[in-house]
Amino acid sequence: MSCSIFLKLDFQLRLHAFSGLRCLSSFQSSGKFDLTDLTHPHTWYPLARRKKRNIFLHVGPTNSGKTHNALKCLESSSSGVYCGPLRLLAWEVAQRLNKANVPCNLITGQEREDIDGARHSSVTVEMADVTSEYQCAVVDEIQMVGCRTRGFSFTRALLGISADELHLCGDPAAVPLVQRIIEVTGDVIKVQYYERLSPLTPLKFPLGSFSNIRNGDCIVTFSRREIYKLKKKVESGGKHLCSVVYGSLPPETRTKQAKMFNDESSKFDILVASDAIGMGLNLNISRIIFSTLKKFDGQYTRELTVPEIKQIAGRAGRYGSKFSSGEVTCIDAEDLPLLHSSLESSSPLLERAGLFPTFDLLSLYSRLHSRMGFHGILEQFLEKAKLSPDYFIADCEEMLKVAAVVDELPLGLYDKYLFCISPVDMNDDIAAQGLTQFAENYAKKGVVRLREIFTPGTLEVPKSHNALKELESVHKVLDLYVWLSFRMEDSFPDREVASSQKAICSLLIEEFLERLGWQRQAKGNYQHNSLLLQQRIQSSMLHKYFPQIKVEST
């Protein structure tokens, strides 16, 4: 998709996100209209309200065929859109449709692939276009309307996509909430329940010794440190090599690691992963082994919820794969009772869906508080927001952290808003520094050239876990530059260089991950792969790096 088309989409999204806001601006001074009243969010989407949509709710456990059936409807439609929670899922669906001779664009925050003649698009849910009409739309993992940080994007897709048929796929726990939300829209809803296609057996005994690890096993843990600790422990036995998958790995690297694990000719026959495997990757897993049933969620350490355990456990025994039936167990016997009770339980019903004010609402509100910075406007608006019982205000802690940074700069409200909704992890020091540098340069010059932030140098394969972590953070900064370049093309003109540098980061990370195994078991193969990697990097002629962000390479 060309950038001009994307910019048109971006402005349409914010200009039409709330019905009648322009007309209501005259009520500001009189106070007759309460901008913080969010009790009727379905009215924000006039195009969707003009239709009587036929909504099909496909619900069931992992590996039940619910999304497959919805996608068959999408393939046979004259026009349509798939909305997924992850870039990896958007990629997979775009590839599937194009392979089926249904031209399909790919649109995510960081990628645009425009296919000639395409009337279908596969997008991440945040990129859903509520200003276009479709014959068919699919929203995957609809239970994520209850996610405290991203739920509002799924609510927006549910209420705002204008399609004759809207297919929603997810957990049965979402059914009553979705039905209540849809009651006020006048749409027709039909629920179809699915059963798992392949058996999943909870084992009555724990793993015990690591000598009991076998091909096709996936060990699940919830910290980066534990992932590499378990990888080392498995590989030290001399019988297996481990692929790894976790959230902070670049999506390209996660895909490569999954392919290595799925490839029967590969020596990487064990997977060590976080809950990032819960969705977005097709994996041929025989047995899921939980190393623990507790995780740190950013605030405190807690037990996994029933939906989390079921989502992860359900990845074993993929229908149509080498392992047509799955098993699940734990490393420690003391975790088995919780595992078994969770798998026998239904997921708790969702009670509320996420909501977040549109930019237009915040813009109008800012006119009433012209002396306040964006941080104050956002914070005060959210404190005063009025909601119906079916909704909650999304957690915007990350946005407020960014707002505190950009409020110090001479930027317009929409520019501040863009930086605040950008995909930055403010808990990552390097990523936070990258955003600050981009915002400061943009405020000073109006243009952010990558060569002003990069200096000539040579990237190397990281030689320690700290160096690996820092390289992952650099990838996040480059990803942020690409995201900004699609929204402010003239001001962030070096998208191609940033994308190429991202690819090099991914190659270096992949090499580090493979090296951990090959050093122990196949030094000859490792050295051969290393030479190929160096040739690929050198041919790119992109030996540039961050001067402000020091990255360990030894």
Side-chain angles (χ1 to χ4, degrees), residues 134-155:
Y134 307 98
Q135 183 188 352
C136 180
V138 175
V139 179
D140 209 355
E141 306 292 352
I142 189 59
Q143 74 279 358
M144 288 189 70
V145 292
C147 176
R148 65 185 180 88
T149 54
R150 298 182 64 203
F152 70 94
S153 295
F154 288 83
T155 302

Side-chain angles (χ1 to χ4, degrees), residues 7 45 53 168 171 177 341 362 411 473 532:
L7 289 173
Y45 308 103
R53 302 179 300 174
L168 310 173
D171 192 291
L177 175 61
S341 64
L362 293 172
L411 294 171
S473 297
L532 290 176

Side-chain angles (χ1 to χ4, degrees), residues 365-366 369-378 380 407:
Y365 191 77
S366 72
H369 306 277
S370 57
R371 295 185 179 182
M372 293 177 64
F374 188 67
H375 183 283
I377 290 167
L378 183 57
Q380 187 178 101
D407 268 345

Side-chain angles (χ1 to χ4, degrees), residues 268-317:
F268 289 81
D269 51 11
I270 305 296
L271 182 63
V272 184
S274 72
D275 48 358
I277 65 163
M279 60 180 74
L281 289 169
N282 288 321
L283 297 163
N284 299 335
I285 296 171
S286 170
R287 179 172 59 170
I288 290 285
I289 304 166
F290 286 94
S291 74
T292 177
L293 292 178
K294 295 180 179 179
K295 67 177 287 188
F296 180 72
D297 65 2
Q299 296 180 331
Y300 53 87
T301 299
R302 59 168 177 80
E303 287 186 342
L304 299 182
T305 64
V306 169
E308 287 171 336
I309 290 174
K310 294 174 77 170
Q311 181 93 15
I312 296 167
R315 301 298 282 172

Side-chain angles (χ1 to χ4, degrees), residues 360-535:
D360 270 354
L361 273 173
L362 293 172
S363 178
L364 288 176
Y365 191 77
S366 72
R367 297 181 195 177
L368 303 177
H369 306 277
S370 57
R371 295 185 179 182
M372 293 177 64
F374 188 67
H375 183 283
I377 290 167
L378 183 57
E379 191 172 47
Q380 187 178 101
F381 187 101
L382 298 182
E383 286 176 359
K384 293 185 175 182
K386 299 169 185 63
L387 305 171
S388 74
D390 289 329
Y391 297 98
F392 66 90
I393 283 289
D395 183 340
C396 61
E397 182 181 348
E398 288 292 294
M399 293 186 199
L400 289 170
K401 288 178 182 177
V402 178
V405 172
V406 297
D407 268 345
E408 301 297 318
L409 303 172
L411 294 171
L413 189 71
Y414 187 60
D415 289 334
K416 290 181 178 181
Y417 173 78
L418 279 181
F419 280 108
C420 285
I421 65 170
S422 68
V424 61
D425 179 3
M426 293 299 285
N427 293 319
D428 182 316
D429 290 341
I430 292 175
Q433 289 174 32
L435 177 131
T436 302
Q437 186 72 46
F438 291 153
E440 287 178 351
N441 284 18
Y442 175 69
K444 289 176 183 176
K445 304 177 182 179
V447 177
V448 182
R449 301 307 303 252
L450 212 56
R451 63 174 176 263
E452 295 176 355
I453 300 173
F454 282 62
T455 53
T458 303
L459 292 175
E460 293 182 2
V461 177
K463 297 177 182 177
S464 71
H465 286 287
N466 284 339
L468 173 64
K469 186 176 181 180
E470 289 172 343
L471 194 57
E472 291 168 0
S473 297
V474 170
H475 187 279
K476 292 179 184 178
V477 176
L478 292 164
D479 208 42
L480 173 62
Y481 187 97
V482 173
W483 189 93
L484 291 167
S485 75
F486 276 112
R487 288 147 183 84
M488 296 183 278
E489 183 178 36
D490 292 340
S491 297
F492 291 81
D494 297 327
R495 182 191 311 145
E496 186 175 340
V497 176
S499 296
S500 299
Q501 189 71 15
K502 272 177 56 182
I504 290 179
C505 283
S506 296
L507 285 172
L508 294 170
I509 292 169
E510 289 163 18
E511 173 66 6
F512 176 84
L513 297 179
E514 292 185 32
R515 175 188 291 188
L516 287 182
W518 291 120
Q519 280 181 329
R520 298 186 181 100
Q521 296 195 12
K523 290 186 178 179
N525 283 341
Y526 157 68
Q527 290 168 354
H528 173 67
N529 289 345
S530 182
L531 286 172
L532 290 176
L533 175 77
Q534 291 303 324
Q535 291 171 4

